[in-house]
Amino acid sequence: MYSLRAVTLLLVTLFPAPAAWGDWPTYHGPAGLTGYSDTVIGDSFQTFWRYRAPAAITVTPVTAGDRIFAMSGSVAIALSLGGEELWQSDIGEPVEAPPVVAGKTLVVGTAKGALVALGVENGRELWRYELGSRIQGSPNLVREEGGISVLAISQSDGVLHRVALSDGSRIWVTPRTNRCDGSLAVDGGLVVYGNCDAALYVHDAGSGKRTGKIKLLKDGQVYAGVALADGTVYAGDRSGRLYAVQTETGKILWVSEVAGADLSSTPSVAPGVVVFGSDDGKVYAVKREDGQLLWSMDTKGRPLSLIHI
């Protein structure tokens, strides 16, 4: 989930110019956290600008419209696509989870357990909601006819909260489960996340009711975010296994055991392929249909958040 550990935010991209970019409202792209974009890229890169932040940028920036939003310690920063600082807002608490942006609102989850909403135009605080425990995984969004709401999960007890984006009022909250370090995915009216129970939890996004608890294999604790696409959730565990699980039935469709260490990053799901990183230093690509290995690459490091373009 974490991808920039420096005090300088670099914009390294390629032609066409930044005005052609699409939105990337969560740390892993769409609400399903698939990490997939159909943006066409070329073979060469160009540095457009550099921005010096007040402290380390330790979580992935997000984008919406003509703005980039980054967290630097407890400070939220808005930049133009040209690298101009538009505003800074100190929310008063450290942040370890990437923010999420929807319309005119940026929502940040803090290490002290608060959801803080800021106006994207000026960084002014709009509301604050207390979960009571550290927010480690990125907040996410539910879009319904009645409006947009925010989902967040407290790390220590795995309690899922849904609040209104407009004013931060509580819509529902779920019973406690177990520690949850990763981010939750939202797609097709479902909310899915994994935790230290070595299980995947499935909830109805509208009511919050749990519709499934899917047990994984022995030592199958899930530390990272999960990706949800077309009724299938993709999740990695502490034993280096990647699962494809049908959310409706709870059936494990396949398990890939090609990695040699923990899977501590959210997998990227594209048509026909799933790409994921392992703490063994490698990136793996497997067939989405059956989990068979397509290729692997040694990064000589620890690959973290992956995207697919």
Side-chain angles (χ1 to χ4, degrees), residues 4 6-12 47-57 61 68-72 75-89:
L4 282 175
V7 295
T8 303
L9 179 62
L10 287 79
L11 182 66
V12 181
T47 300
F48 280 98
W49 48 260
R50 298 171 185 263
Y51 171 79
R52 177 69 64 173
I57 298 174
I68 299 169
F69 302 95
M71 294 304 306
S72 176
V75 178
I77 302 167
L79 304 171
S80 71
L81 295 184
E84 175 189 3
E85 182 184 299
L86 303 175
W87 52 257
Q88 287 190 16
S89 180

Side-chain angles (χ1 to χ4, degrees), residues 208-229:
K209 180 181 178 181
R210 185 196 297 176
T211 60
K213 178 182 178 181
I214 304 164
K215 291 294 293 182
L216 303 179
L217 301 179
K218 182 180 179 182
D219 293 328
Q221 293 90 343
V222 178
Y223 292 158
V226 301
L228 181 58

